[in-house]
Amino acid sequence: MAGRRVFSGIGVVSALVLVGSLVSAPAFAADTSTATVTGTVTAAASGEPIEGATVLIQWEEDSAIAVTDDSGYYEVSAIPATSLDDAVVTEWTGSVAAPQGSGLRDGAFPAQEPLAPNEVRTVDVALEASEAEVSPVLAGTVSITGAAVIGQSLIAETADWEPEAALSYQWTADGAPIAGAQGSTLNVTTALAGKTLAVAVTGSIPGRASSEVIATAPLKVLRTGTSTLSGIPATGEKPSVSTTGWTAGTALSYQWYADGQSITGATASSFTVTNSQVGKKLSVRVTGSLHGYASNSVVATGKLLVAGVATPTFSGSAGTGVTLTAKPGTWTKGTTFTYRWAANGKPIPGATKNTYVPTTAQQGAKITVTVSGSKSGHPTVSRTSGATAKVLLTASPSVSGSRSVGSKLTAAPGKWTSGTSLSYQWYADGAAIKGATKSTHTLTSAQRDKKITVKVTGRKSTYSTSARTSGSTARVQNAPKPSISGSRLVTATLTAKTGSWSGGTKFSYQWYSNGKAISGATKSTWRITSGYAGKKITVKVTGRKDGYSSFSRTSSATGAIGYPSRTSPASSWNCPSWAPIKGNANSGIYHVKGQRYYDATKPEECFRTENAAKSAGYRKAKV
């Protein structure tokens, strides 16, 4: 032990000599059985060791001295017996002289039993403060700051204590010391929930009575529970927070936040998300309050950003064969969509696109579409549209009739749900034809060169009003009835007049005699021969143009073909059989069969009758 001072000696003390750290009396008797006395000298008030105290051990006429080291320790050994026959020291005493200036009083050993041979006896001595130094340490104030909240700290704040005083701390919970809580700061843990916290501050100065001041936290520790967010962070949704584990009787209040900013009016355990929170992260602060307890708050924060969503709608009517198109509405930019169509709430197999055409399998059912939107960092949200009325059985109408001006077109609606009331609207090149609202329509010149469609609309109570439109016709052709110009007499040429058809129409012709086609008569003109005398002539004109229907129109019949009163000779010497009278223009004489010079006359004109010849200025030959 550093600095330890030990005395060992035998004999009567005639003088005290201090050598180094040992003071002893010279030994002059033979060594006999001995004993040792050790111990520690401390200050009674503080318990601190006293260095430099002088310990005096006396027995009969001998004594020994030891000085305490820096730990207050002393040791006196080789205390002899008084005789060889008596192996113990029958009487001995001890005293302690306090170091000068220590403020302590000298002390004495308590009465001791005799020492046995070879015994080592321990005697500890506590020195009291001198009369002038026994006043207690001057105590100051202690206050507790901080919050008695789990996860936070309480701090013992001290003031006005005696400057030399050393302060020590002990925190307590409901009066019981808290293990390891000997500092000025206490970290509040869940183990302290529901308890009253206090701190005892002790001021100490060696040689003086210590002073203690106790401060108590004004509020107990509130047990805070857990808060869990549930629900979908999306517009129109109502996320909520659930709590467990708070001290019984705790009143809870709430405040919702978006990206750390409080949401006005959002002070309940749930709230409805609006567009103002789109793209932000939600959190909620739950604050617990209970009389006599320190209020505390916990915050629960969502993991996903709020998604902007909308309830989908669709365009189109719920009729078989009619396309329904889903309209998602406005969602967060960059959202990816999927679709699921359902009939009476049951998914339709394979109906997973943004459009769907109801079939006869859905006749009478109500259709909905569910749109699911997803985007990284946002929740996947599904929204379902409102339901349609019942699906109406419909059919694609067809149009019959000639596609030409003046012709009547007829709409055939096809098969619809029984009891369906049908209405019609005709269109020319997609524009509604005013007044054309019946199942038939007679084409006018206003529809010339246009394509015709008809829309049939079906209506029935509790069913969706649905419309179907026919395919387009060929363009409407203006195909007037042709006419025939020219003389209706043998040898005359007839000409077919087509009338006003659509520009660019190409024509072909066929001439008829009493309804029978005339072989080879396929041009726009035809010369009448004698074989058709007495017959009625017609011509059929056929018009063709790309994008139009082909049409054939037949003229009215001419009157019976007649003979002209005069005509040209059939040959140099002969007139036609139907005009046998030969006329000689130079002489102005005509000849009839049977006259002398008939065969010898070369006709210049031929006449059907003598009256015709006479009317032409001819006179009859005399012979």
Side-chain angles (χ1 to χ4, degrees):
M1 181 174 292
R4 178 169 293 178
R5 300 178 176 91
V6 181
F7 171 78
S8 176
I10 299 175
V12 177
V13 177
S14 60
L16 293 178
V17 180
L18 181 62
V19 180
S21 60
L22 175 65
V23 179
S24 64
F28 53 87
D31 191 16
T32 62
S33 297
T34 61
T36 300
V37 177
T38 67
T40 302
V41 178
T42 60
S46 64
E48 294 183 353
I50 305 301
E51 181 182 6
T54 302
V55 179
L56 173 64
I57 304 297
Q58 293 180 305
W59 62 92
E60 294 183 354
E61 295 180 358
D62 291 335
S63 63
I65 294 174
V67 179
T68 58
D69 61 15
D70 56 3
S71 65
Y73 180 81
Y74 72 88
E75 181 180 309
V76 178
S77 61
I79 301 174
T82 56
S83 67
L84 293 175
D85 296 330
D86 187 359
V88 299
V89 176
T90 57
E91 293 182 5
W92 66 279
T93 60
S95 61
V96 179
Q100 187 175 0
S102 66
L104 301 174
R105 292 182 293 173
D106 295 342
F109 283 23
Q112 298 291 317
E113 294 293 328
L115 290 168
N118 300 316
E119 178 183 357
V120 177
R121 183 172 297 182
T122 300
V123 180
D124 295 328
V125 180
L127 302 181
E128 299 290 342
S130 64
E131 291 297 329
E133 300 292 341
V134 294
S135 59
V137 172
L138 179 62
T141 62
V142 178
S143 61
I144 296 177
T145 60
V149 172
I150 294 171
Q152 299 190 36
S153 299
L154 294 176
I155 301 173
E157 303 282 0
T158 60
D160 302 327
W161 286 77
E162 194 167 339
E164 293 81 7
L167 302 181
S168 60
Y169 304 82
Q170 178 60 61
W171 292 86
T172 61
D174 284 349
I178 301 171
Q182 285 87 33
S184 61
T185 299
L186 173 67
N187 293 323
V188 183
T189 65
T190 55
L192 304 178
K195 299 181 178 180
T196 298
L197 302 180
V199 62
V201 179
T202 301
S204 302
I205 296 177
R208 296 174 59 185
S210 60
S211 296
E212 181 180 81
V213 176
I214 296 175
T216 301
L219 299 172
K220 293 181 180 180
V221 177
L222 184 70
R223 182 183 299 279
T224 55
T226 59
S227 296
T228 304
L229 284 178
S230 60
I232 301 173
T235 53
E237 294 287 344
K238 196 172 185 179
S240 62
V241 60
S242 58
T243 59
T244 57
W246 290 77
T247 299
T250 300
L252 301 178
S253 60
Y254 307 87
Q255 177 61 61
W256 290 83
Y257 297 83
D259 278 356
Q261 297 296 315
S262 61
I263 302 171
T264 302
T267 55
S269 60
S270 63
F271 91 105
T272 301
V273 180
T274 68
N275 288 331
S276 298
Q277 289 87 52
V278 171
K280 300 177 181 179
K281 187 171 288 187
L282 296 180
S283 60
V284 59
R285 180 181 295 277
V286 181
T287 300
S289 302
L290 183 63
H291 180 71
Y293 289 75
S295 296
N296 192 15
S297 297
V298 292
V299 176
T301 302
K303 297 179 180 180
L304 300 173
L305 301 178
V306 171
V309 303
T311 299
T313 59
F314 42 73
S315 61
S317 59
T320 58
V322 180
T323 299
L324 295 174
T325 301
K327 305 292 185 181
T330 302
W331 293 57
T332 299
K333 186 177 181 180
T335 298
T336 300
F337 299 109
T338 59
Y339 302 87
R340 168 63 71 183
W341 295 85
N344 288 342
K346 295 182 178 180
I348 301 170
T352 57
K353 297 182 179 180
N354 68 323
T355 60
Y356 178 66
V357 179
T359 68
T360 55
Q362 286 86 52
Q363 180 184 354
K366 294 181 178 181
I367 304 297
T368 57
V369 62
T370 298
V371 177
S372 297
S374 59
K375 183 181 179 182
S376 177
H378 296 68
T380 296
V381 183
S382 296
R383 286 284 187 273
T384 300
S385 69
T388 66
K390 294 178 182 178
V391 173
L392 187 72
L393 176 64
T394 72
S396 180
S398 60
V399 176
S400 62
S402 178
R403 281 68 162 166
S404 63
V405 174
S407 297
K408 180 185 287 187
L409 300 180
T410 300
K415 185 178 180 180
W416 294 61
T417 299
S418 178
T420 300
S421 175
L422 301 178
S423 61
Y424 301 85
Q425 176 62 61
W426 293 85
Y427 294 82
D429 279 354
I433 301 172
K434 186 176 181 180
T437 56
K438 296 182 179 180
S439 60
T440 62
H441 173 63
T442 299
L443 296 169
T444 69
S445 59
Q447 287 93 57
R448 178 175 173 175
D449 299 322
K450 297 179 180 178
K451 293 181 178 181
I452 304 300
T453 56
V454 64
K455 180 171 73 177
V456 179
T457 301
R459 294 176 175 84
K460 184 177 180 181
S461 178
T462 73
Y463 284 75
S464 178
T465 296
S466 191
R468 298 292 299 274
T469 299
S470 69
S472 297
T473 67
R475 295 190 181 277
V476 174
Q477 178 66 275
N478 189 40
K481 186 177 181 179
S483 62
I484 298 174
S485 65
S487 176
R488 276 67 166 171
L489 298 173
V490 173
T491 72
T493 297
L494 299 179
T495 300
K497 301 295 186 182
T498 60
S500 179
W501 291 59
S502 296
T505 301
K506 295 179 179 180
F507 301 104
S508 60
Y509 305 86
Q510 178 62 60
W511 293 87
Y512 293 83
S513 170
N514 285 350
K516 293 183 179 180
I518 300 171
S519 177
T522 57
K523 295 184 178 181
S524 61
T525 61
W526 177 65
R527 186 176 182 276
I528 305 171
T529 63
S530 61
Y532 297 98
K535 298 182 179 179
K536 296 180 178 181
I537 303 301
T538 56
V539 66
K540 181 172 72 176
V541 176
T542 300
R544 294 177 176 84
K545 183 179 180 181
D546 288 345
Y548 293 72
S549 296
S550 295
F551 292 96
S552 294
R553 293 287 188 263
T554 300
S555 70
S556 299
T558 66
I561 297 298
Y563 290 100
S565 60
R566 60 198 290 180
T567 186
S568 298
S571 64
S572 298
W573 293 94
N574 298 307
C575 284
S577 60
W578 52 270
I581 299 173
K582 297 179 178 180
N584 190 307
N586 291 329
S587 63
I589 295 173
Y590 68 85
H591 301 268
V592 298
K593 282 185 178 183
Q595 289 185 309
R596 180 184 297 177
Y597 298 107
Y598 180 83
D599 291 335
T601 300
K602 283 188 176 182
E604 294 176 302
E605 285 188 287
C606 298
F607 297 94
R608 182 167 176 75
T609 66
E610 290 186 51
N611 286 337
K614 292 176 181 178
S615 295
Y618 286 83
R619 63 183 176 84
K620 186 175 182 181
K622 293 180 179 181
V623 291

